[in-house]
Amino acid sequence: MRASQQDFENAVNQVKLLKKDPGNQVKLQLYALYKQATDGPCNVSKPGVFDLVNKAKWEAWNALGSLPKETARQNYVDLVSSLSPSSEASNQGKSGADVKVQESKDIVVTSEDGITKIMFNRPPKKNAITFQMYQDIILALKNASTDNSAITVFTGAGDYYCSGNDLTNFTSASGGMEKAAEGGAVLLREFVNSFIDFPKPLVAVVNGPAVGISVTLLGLFDAVYASDKATFHTPFSHLGQSPEACSSYTFPKIMGSAKATEMLLFGKKLTAREACAQGLVTEVFPDSTFKKEIWTRLKAYAKLPPNSMRISKQLIRKNEKEKLHAVNAEECSTLKERWLSEECINAIMSFLSRKSKL
Ligand SMILES: CCCCCCCCCCC/C=C/C(=O)SCCNC(=O)CCNC(=O)[C@H](O)C(C)(C)COP(=O)(O)OP(=O)(O)OC[C@H]1O[C@@H](n2cnc3c(N)ncnc32)[C@H](O)[C@@H]1OP(=O)(O)O
């Protein structure tokens, strides 16, 4: 039986009464179907790259193409009925079996054995982080914070952990440089906030070289395990930039200001063993046994009582949260200025024209 206009209106009201947040993907789908059912195919222009929320909504609506209004109405009603209290209850009981929990090309999210794994998956570009990947990671962390896993793990596919910010982000942003820098700072702040506020144990499995923001973020992780093939490099001065991800605060705290200066100002690259000696890395493993040893260990950790781990992490983080947010805000506003500087623009152009490499 086709859904009537009354069924549709009832479903719209039912959504407002849902007890449990259905998650961003479902909310986007509901938005898209609602717009398609009421206004027809997407007829507005695409929001700018930095207008994250409206861009995601536009993309969801636009993806429905020329789906007829009646079909959209029916699909909306079906989707809402699948979110009714009875199905909400049955979803809560789901175990964390091996499932892919987020569809996205360059960030793969899976959940297994109480561990949510977020993997940089762009080996041909050494896992450099694009605008889309920043957004996918924000979403992945939001989902992982409420899923039924005990710990969340970041790792990289291929030979690199991650080569940091994709330097073509500087040329792909739409609008003028100032607008792009403003948007970049907003995105970066939200991205780093999602690490500062992440409530469960956050672990990095550093399988290979790490560069830039993938290194600075480690100061916000609870444990960092590295292969002896990993290196840690923050070439900010070479790029005419400045530190981010709270590293201007966490690095001096972790390793003392003299060692932090060598990394953050002079761009000294550390081996895994050096990074371990300086407290940035928890433990180093021979590459030949790294994966086997680390996943066995993490599976055992994931069996520990999750609430206890969460509460302990929050006790450790609580006293610093405000400070970390303030540092993040200041670093982003400094970077916004740096991105417009001649030093930075020259360095990026030099990399992109293949005149320089780290
Ligand atoms: C105004 C706009 C604002 C933008 C806002 C952005 C939002 C937040 C920004 C947060 C701040 C973050 C800062 C950082 O992360 S700084 C660190 C940036 N990373 C780098 O500088 C690394 C650059 N890459 C290299 O030096 C080398 O590629 C590397 C040493 C990593 C590997 O060298 P190798 O010789 O082994 O391999 P290739 O160079 O041949 O690399 C293979 C291909 O991958 C591409 N690649 C690698 N890294 C990057 C990168 N970071 N960005 C873009 N592309 C990258 C490389 O170009 C090769 O591509 P091709 O095969 O097509 O040539």
Coordinates of all heavy atoms in Angstrom, one line a residue, residues 50 122-129 131 134 159-160 162-171 173 176-185 187-188 191 209 211-214 216 233-236 239 241-242 244 269 335-336 339-340 351-352 354 356-358, ligand 1:
F50 N 33.4 24.7 2.6 CA 33.6 24.8 4.1 C 32.2 24.9 4.8 O 32.2 24.9 6.1 CB 34.4 26.0 4.4 CG 35.8 25.9 4.0 CD1 36.4 26.8 3.1 CD2 36.6 24.8 4.4 CE1 37.7 26.7 2.7 CE2 37.9 24.7 4.0 CZ 38.5 25.6 3.1
R122 N 44.6 5.6 1.8 CA 44.9 6.3 0.5 C 46.4 6.0 0.2 O 47.2 7.0 0.0 CB 44.6 7.8 0.7 CG 44.3 8.5 -0.5 CD 44.0 9.9 -0.2 NE 44.0 10.7 -1.4 CZ 44.6 11.9 -1.5 NH1 45.2 12.5 -0.5 NH2 44.6 12.6 -2.7
P123 N 46.8 4.7 0.1 CA 48.2 4.4 0.0 C 48.9 5.1 -1.2 O 50.1 5.5 -1.0 CB 48.3 2.9 -0.2 CG 47.0 2.4 0.4 CD 46.0 3.5 0.2
P124 N 48.3 5.3 -2.4 CA 49.0 5.9 -3.5 C 49.5 7.3 -3.1 O 50.5 7.8 -3.7 CB 48.0 6.0 -4.6 CG 47.0 4.9 -4.3 CD 46.9 4.9 -2.8
K125 N 48.8 8.0 -2.2 CA 49.2 9.4 -1.8 C 49.8 9.3 -0.3 O 49.7 10.3 0.4 CB 48.0 10.3 -1.9 CG 47.5 10.5 -3.3 CD 48.4 11.3 -4.2 CE 47.9 11.4 -5.6 NZ 48.8 12.1 -6.5
K126 N 50.3 8.2 0.1 CA 50.9 8.0 1.4 C 49.9 8.4 2.5 O 50.2 9.0 3.5 CB 52.1 8.8 1.5 CG 53.2 8.6 0.4 CD 53.8 7.2 0.5 CE 54.8 7.0 -0.6 NZ 55.2 5.6 -0.7
N127 N 48.6 8.2 2.2 CA 47.5 8.5 3.2 C 47.4 10.0 3.6 O 46.9 10.3 4.7 CB 47.6 7.6 4.4 CG 47.5 6.2 4.1 OD1 46.8 5.8 3.1 ND2 48.1 5.3 4.9
A128 N 47.7 10.9 2.6 CA 47.6 12.3 2.9 C 46.1 12.6 3.1 O 45.2 12.0 2.4 CB 48.1 13.1 1.7
I129 N 45.8 13.6 4.0 CA 44.4 13.8 4.4 C 43.8 14.9 3.6 O 44.2 16.1 3.6 CB 44.4 14.2 5.9 CG1 45.2 13.2 6.8 CG2 42.9 14.2 6.4 CD1 45.3 13.6 8.2
F131 N 40.2 17.2 2.4 CA 39.1 17.8 3.1 C 38.0 16.8 3.5 O 37.5 16.7 4.6 CB 38.4 18.9 2.2 CG 39.2 20.2 2.2 CD1 39.6 20.7 1.0 CD2 39.5 20.9 3.3 CE1 40.3 21.9 0.9 CE2 40.2 22.1 3.3 CZ 40.6 22.6 2.1
Y134 N 39.1 14.7 6.4 CA 38.9 15.4 7.7 C 37.4 15.2 8.2 O 37.1 14.9 9.3 CB 39.2 16.9 7.6 CG 40.7 17.2 7.6 CD1 41.2 17.7 6.4 CD2 41.5 17.1 8.7 CE1 42.6 18.0 6.3 CE2 42.9 17.4 8.6 CZ 43.4 17.8 7.4 OH 44.7 18.1 7.3
D159 N 52.4 1.4 3.2 CA 53.7 1.5 3.9 C 53.7 2.8 4.8 O 54.6 2.9 5.7 CB 54.8 1.6 2.9 CG 54.7 2.7 1.9 OD1 53.5 3.2 1.7 OD2 55.7 3.1 1.2
Y160 N 52.8 3.7 4.6 CA 52.8 4.9 5.5 C 51.7 4.8 6.5 O 50.7 4.2 6.3 CB 52.6 6.2 4.6 CG 53.8 7.0 4.3 CD1 54.9 6.4 3.6 CD2 54.0 8.3 4.9 CE1 56.0 7.1 3.3 CE2 55.2 9.0 4.6 CZ 56.2 8.4 3.8 OH 57.3 9.1 3.6
C162 N 50.6 8.0 7.8 CA 49.9 9.2 7.1 C 50.9 10.3 6.8 O 51.8 10.6 7.7 CB 48.8 9.7 8.1 SG 48.1 11.2 7.5
S163 N 50.8 10.9 5.6 CA 51.8 12.0 5.3 C 51.2 13.4 5.6 O 51.7 14.4 5.1 CB 52.2 11.9 3.8 OG 51.1 12.1 3.0
G164 N 50.2 13.4 6.5 CA 49.7 14.7 7.0 C 48.7 15.3 6.0 O 48.1 14.7 5.2
N165 N 48.6 16.6 6.2 CA 47.6 17.4 5.4 C 48.0 17.2 3.9 O 49.1 17.3 3.5 CB 47.7 18.9 5.8 CG 46.7 19.7 5.0 OD1 45.5 19.3 4.9 ND2 47.1 20.8 4.6
D166 N 46.9 16.9 3.1 CA 47.2 16.8 1.6 C 47.4 18.3 1.2 O 46.6 19.2 1.3 CB 45.9 16.3 0.9 CG 46.2 16.0 -0.5 OD1 46.7 17.0 -1.2 OD2 45.9 14.9 -1.0
L167 N 48.6 18.5 0.6 CA 49.0 19.8 0.3 C 48.2 20.4 -0.9 O 48.2 21.6 -1.1 CB 50.5 19.9 0.0 CG 51.4 19.5 1.2 CD1 52.9 19.5 0.9 CD2 51.2 20.6 2.3
T168 N 47.5 19.5 -1.6 CA 46.6 20.0 -2.7 C 45.4 20.7 -2.1 O 44.6 21.3 -2.8 CB 46.3 19.0 -3.8 OG1 45.4 18.0 -3.1 CG2 47.5 18.3 -4.4
N169 N 45.1 20.5 -0.8 CA 44.0 21.2 -0.2 C 44.1 22.7 -0.4 O 43.2 23.4 -0.4 CB 43.9 20.9 1.3 CG 43.4 19.5 1.6 OD1 42.8 18.9 0.8 ND2 43.7 19.0 2.8
F170 N 45.4 23.2 -0.5 CA 45.6 24.6 -0.7 C 45.2 25.1 -2.0 O 44.8 26.3 -2.2 CB 47.1 24.9 -0.5 CG 47.5 24.9 1.0 CD1 47.9 23.7 1.5 CD2 47.4 26.0 1.8 CE1 48.3 23.6 2.8 CE2 47.8 25.9 3.1 CZ 48.2 24.7 3.7
T171 N 45.2 24.2 -3.0 CA 44.8 24.7 -4.3 C 43.4 24.3 -4.7 O 42.8 24.8 -5.6 CB 45.8 24.1 -5.4 OG1 45.9 22.7 -5.2 CG2 47.1 24.8 -5.3
A173 N 40.7 24.4 -2.6 CA 39.6 25.1 -1.9 C 39.0 26.1 -2.9 O 39.7 26.8 -3.6 CB 40.2 25.8 -0.7
G176 N 38.4 32.8 -2.7 CA 39.7 33.4 -2.5 C 40.5 32.8 -1.4 O 39.9 32.0 -0.6
M177 N 41.8 33.1 -1.3 CA 42.7 32.5 -0.3 C 42.2 32.9 1.1 O 42.2 32.0 2.0 CB 44.1 33.1 -0.5 CG 45.0 32.2 -1.3 SD 45.0 30.5 -0.7 CE 46.3 30.4 0.5
E178 N 41.7 34.1 1.3 CA 41.3 34.5 2.7 C 40.1 33.7 3.2 O 40.1 33.2 4.3 CB 41.0 36.0 2.8 CG 42.2 36.8 2.6 CD 42.2 38.2 3.3 OE1 41.2 38.4 4.0 OE2 43.1 38.9 3.0
K179 N 39.2 33.5 2.2 CA 38.0 32.7 2.6 C 38.4 31.3 2.8 O 37.9 30.6 3.7 CB 37.0 32.8 1.4 CG 35.6 32.3 1.8 CD 34.6 32.9 0.8 CE 33.3 32.0 0.9 NZ 33.2 30.9 0.0
A180 N 39.3 30.8 2.0 CA 39.8 29.4 2.1 C 40.5 29.2 3.5 O 40.3 28.2 4.2 CB 40.7 29.0 1.0
A181 N 41.3 30.2 3.8 CA 42.0 30.0 5.1 C 41.0 30.1 6.3 O 41.2 29.3 7.3 CB 43.0 31.2 5.2
E182 N 40.1 30.9 6.2 CA 39.0 31.0 7.3 C 38.3 29.7 7.4 O 38.2 29.1 8.5 CB 38.0 32.2 6.9 CG 36.8 32.3 7.8 CD 37.2 32.8 9.2 OE1 38.0 33.7 9.3 OE2 36.7 32.2 10.2
G183 N 37.9 29.1 6.3 CA 37.2 27.8 6.3 C 38.1 26.7 6.8 O 37.7 25.8 7.5
G184 N 39.4 26.7 6.4 CA 40.3 25.7 6.8 C 40.5 25.7 8.3 O 40.6 24.7 9.0
A185 N 40.5 27.0 8.9 CA 40.7 27.1 10.3 C 39.5 26.5 11.1 O 39.6 25.9 12.1 CB 41.0 28.5 10.7
L187 N 37.4 24.2 10.0 CA 37.4 22.7 9.8 C 38.5 22.1 10.8 O 38.2 21.2 11.5 CB 37.8 22.4 8.4 CG 38.0 20.9 8.1 CD1 36.7 20.1 8.3 CD2 38.4 20.7 6.6
L188 N 39.7 22.7 10.8 CA 40.7 22.2 11.6 C 40.3 22.2 13.1 O 40.6 21.3 13.9 CB 42.0 23.0 11.4 CG 43.2 22.6 12.3 CD1 43.6 21.1 12.0 CD2 44.4 23.5 12.0
F191 N 37.9 19.5 13.8 CA 38.6 18.2 13.7 C 39.3 17.9 15.0 O 39.2 16.8 15.6 CB 39.5 18.3 12.5 CG 40.4 17.1 12.2 CD1 39.8 15.9 11.7 CD2 41.7 17.1 12.5 CE1 40.6 14.8 11.4 CE2 42.5 16.0 12.3 CZ 41.9 14.8 11.7
P209 N 55.9 5.6 8.4 CA 56.2 7.1 8.7 C 54.9 7.9 8.9 O 53.9 7.6 8.3 CB 56.9 7.5 7.4 CG 57.5 6.2 6.8 CD 56.6 5.1 7.2
V211 N 53.7 12.0 9.3 CA 54.1 13.4 9.0 C 53.1 14.4 9.5 O 51.9 14.1 9.4 CB 54.4 13.6 7.5 CG1 55.0 15.0 7.2 CG2 55.3 12.5 7.0
G212 N 53.5 15.6 9.9 CA 52.6 16.7 10.1 C 51.5 16.4 11.2 O 51.8 15.9 12.3
I213 N 50.3 16.7 10.8 CA 49.2 16.6 11.7 C 48.9 15.2 12.2 O 48.4 15.0 13.3 CB 47.9 17.2 11.1 CG1 46.8 17.4 12.2 CG2 47.4 16.4 9.9 CD1 45.6 18.2 11.8
S214 N 49.4 14.2 11.5 CA 49.2 12.8 12.0 C 50.2 12.6 13.2 O 49.9 11.7 14.0 CB 49.4 11.8 10.9 OG 50.7 11.7 10.5
T216 N 51.3 15.4 15.3 CA 50.9 16.2 16.4 C 49.7 15.7 17.1 O 49.6 15.8 18.3 CB 50.6 17.7 15.9 OG1 49.7 17.6 14.8 CG2 51.9 18.3 15.4
H233 N 57.7 13.1 12.0 CA 58.2 14.3 11.4 C 57.2 15.4 11.3 O 56.1 15.2 10.8 CB 58.7 13.9 10.0 CG 59.5 14.9 9.3 ND1 59.8 14.8 8.0 CD2 60.2 16.0 9.8 CE1 60.6 15.8 7.6 NE2 60.8 16.5 8.7
T234 N 57.6 16.6 11.8 CA 56.7 17.7 11.8 C 57.4 18.9 11.2 O 57.9 19.8 11.9 CB 56.2 18.1 13.3 OG1 57.4 18.2 14.1 CG2 55.3 17.1 13.8
P235 N 57.5 19.0 9.8 CA 58.3 20.0 9.1 C 57.5 21.3 9.0 O 57.5 21.9 7.9 CB 58.5 19.3 7.8 CG 57.2 18.6 7.6 CD 56.7 18.1 8.9
F236 N 57.0 21.9 10.1 CA 56.2 23.1 10.0 C 56.9 24.3 9.5 O 56.4 25.1 8.7 CB 55.5 23.4 11.3 CG 54.6 22.2 11.7 CD1 54.7 21.7 13.0 CD2 53.7 21.7 10.9 CE1 53.9 20.6 13.4 CE2 52.9 20.6 11.2 CZ 53.0 20.1 12.5
L239 N 57.5 24.4 5.9 CA 56.3 24.7 5.1 C 55.8 26.1 5.4 O 54.7 26.4 5.0 CB 55.2 23.6 5.5 CG 55.5 22.2 5.0 CD1 54.6 21.2 5.7 CD2 55.3 22.1 3.5
Q241 N 54.7 27.1 8.2 CA 53.4 26.9 9.0 C 53.8 26.9 10.5 O 54.9 27.2 10.9 CB 52.7 25.7 8.6 CG 52.2 25.8 7.1 CD 51.3 24.7 6.7 OE1 50.4 24.2 7.4 NE2 51.4 24.3 5.4
S242 N 52.8 26.5 11.3 CA 53.1 26.5 12.7 C 52.3 25.3 13.3 O 51.5 24.7 12.6 CB 52.6 27.8 13.4 OG 51.3 28.1 13.0
E244 N 49.9 22.5 15.2 CA 48.5 22.4 15.4 C 48.2 21.2 16.3 O 49.1 20.5 16.8 CB 47.8 22.2 14.0 CG 47.8 20.9 13.4 CD 49.2 20.5 12.8 OE1 49.5 21.1 11.7 OE2 49.9 19.7 13.4
K269 N 63.4 14.9 12.4 CA 62.6 13.7 12.3 C 63.1 12.7 13.3 O 64.3 12.4 13.4 CB 62.8 13.1 10.8 CG 61.8 12.0 10.5 CD 62.3 11.2 9.3 CE 62.0 12.0 8.0 NZ 62.4 11.2 6.8
L335 N 47.4 29.7 12.5 CA 47.6 29.0 11.2 C 46.9 29.7 10.1 O 47.4 29.8 9.0 CB 47.1 27.5 11.3 CG 48.2 26.5 11.5 CD1 47.6 25.1 11.7 CD2 49.2 26.4 10.4
K336 N 45.7 30.2 10.4 CA 44.9 31.0 9.4 C 45.8 32.1 8.8 O 45.8 32.3 7.6 CB 43.7 31.5 10.1 CG 42.7 32.1 9.1 CD 41.4 32.5 9.8 CE 41.6 33.7 10.6 NZ 40.4 34.1 11.3
W339 N 48.8 30.5 6.7 CA 48.5 30.0 5.4 C 48.5 31.1 4.3 O 48.6 30.9 3.1 CB 47.1 29.3 5.4 CG 47.1 28.0 6.1 CD1 48.2 27.2 6.2 CD2 46.0 27.4 6.9 NE1 47.8 26.1 7.0 CE2 46.5 26.2 7.4 CE3 44.7 27.8 7.2 CZ2 45.7 25.3 8.1 CZ3 43.9 26.9 7.9 CH2 44.4 25.7 8.4
L340 N 48.3 32.4 4.8 CA 48.3 33.5 3.8 C 49.7 34.1 3.6 O 49.8 35.1 2.9 CB 47.3 34.6 4.3 CG 45.8 34.1 4.5 CD1 45.0 35.2 5.1 CD2 45.3 33.7 3.1
F351 N 56.4 22.4 -3.3 CA 56.1 20.9 -3.3 C 55.3 20.5 -4.5 O 55.5 19.5 -5.1 CB 55.3 20.6 -2.0 CG 54.9 19.2 -2.0 CD1 55.7 18.1 -1.6 CD2 53.6 18.8 -2.3 CE1 55.3 16.8 -1.7 CE2 53.1 17.5 -2.3 CZ 54.0 16.5 -2.0
L352 N 54.2 21.4 -4.8 CA 53.3 21.0 -5.8 C 54.0 21.0 -7.2 O 53.6 20.3 -8.1 CB 52.1 21.9 -5.8 CG 51.2 21.8 -4.6 CD1 50.0 22.7 -4.6 CD2 50.7 20.3 -4.4
R354 N 56.9 20.0 -7.5 CA 57.9 18.9 -7.4 C 59.3 19.4 -7.3 O 60.2 18.7 -7.6 CB 57.8 17.9 -8.5 CG 56.5 17.2 -8.6 CD 56.3 16.3 -7.3 NE 55.0 15.5 -7.4 CZ 53.9 16.0 -6.9 NH1 53.7 17.2 -6.4 NH2 52.8 15.2 -7.0
S356 N 60.4 20.4 -4.3 CA 60.9 20.0 -3.0 C 60.1 18.9 -2.4 O 58.9 18.7 -2.8 CB 60.8 21.2 -2.0 OG 59.6 21.2 -1.4
K357 N 60.7 18.1 -1.6 CA 60.1 17.0 -0.9 C 60.7 17.1 0.5 O 61.7 17.8 0.7 CB 60.5 15.7 -1.5 CG 59.4 14.7 -1.6 CD 59.9 13.5 -2.3 CE 59.1 13.3 -3.5 NZ 59.4 12.0 -4.2
L358 N 60.2 16.4 1.5 CA 60.7 16.5 2.9 C 62.1 16.0 2.9 O 62.4 15.0 2.2 CB 59.8 15.8 3.8 CG 58.4 16.4 4.0 CD1 57.6 15.4 4.8 CD2 58.5 17.7 4.6
Ligands
LIG1 C1 44.2 27.8 2.6 C2 43.7 26.4 2.7 C3 44.0 25.8 4.0 C4 44.0 24.3 4.0 C5 43.5 23.8 5.3 C6 43.8 22.4 5.6 C7 43.1 21.9 6.8 C8 44.0 21.6 8.0 C9 45.5 21.6 7.9 C10 46.1 21.2 9.1 C11 47.6 21.5 9.2 C12 48.4 20.3 8.8 C13 49.7 20.4 8.6 C14 50.5 19.2 8.1 O1 50.1 18.1 8.1 S1 52.1 19.7 7.5 C15 52.7 18.2 6.7 C16 52.2 18.1 5.3 N1 52.8 17.0 4.6 C17 53.9 17.1 3.9 O2 54.6 18.1 3.8 C18 54.4 15.8 3.2 C19 54.6 16.1 1.8 N2 55.1 14.8 1.1 C20 56.4 14.5 1.0 O3 57.3 15.2 1.4 C21 56.7 13.1 0.4 O4 55.6 12.8 -0.5 C22 56.8 12.0 1.4 C23 58.1 12.2 2.2 C24 55.6 11.9 2.3 C25 56.9 10.6 0.7 O5 58.0 10.7 -0.3 P1 58.2 9.4 -1.3 O6 59.3 9.8 -2.2 O7 58.2 8.2 -0.6 O8 56.8 9.4 -2.1 P2 56.2 10.4 -3.1 O9 56.6 11.8 -2.8 O10 56.4 10.0 -4.5 O11 54.6 10.3 -2.8 C26 53.7 9.5 -3.5 C27 52.6 10.3 -3.9 O12 51.9 10.9 -2.8 C28 51.8 12.3 -2.9 N3 51.8 12.9 -1.5 C29 52.5 12.4 -0.5 N4 52.3 13.2 0.6 C30 51.4 14.2 0.2 C31 50.8 15.3 0.8 N5 51.0 15.5 2.1 N6 50.0 16.0 0.1 C32 49.7 15.8 -1.2 N7 50.3 14.7 -1.9 C33 51.1 13.9 -1.2 C34 53.0 12.7 -3.7 O13 52.8 13.9 -4.3 C35 53.0 11.6 -4.8 O14 52.0 11.8 -5.7 P3 52.2 11.5 -7.2 O15 52.4 10.0 -7.3 O16 50.9 11.9 -7.9 O17 53.4 12.3 -7.7

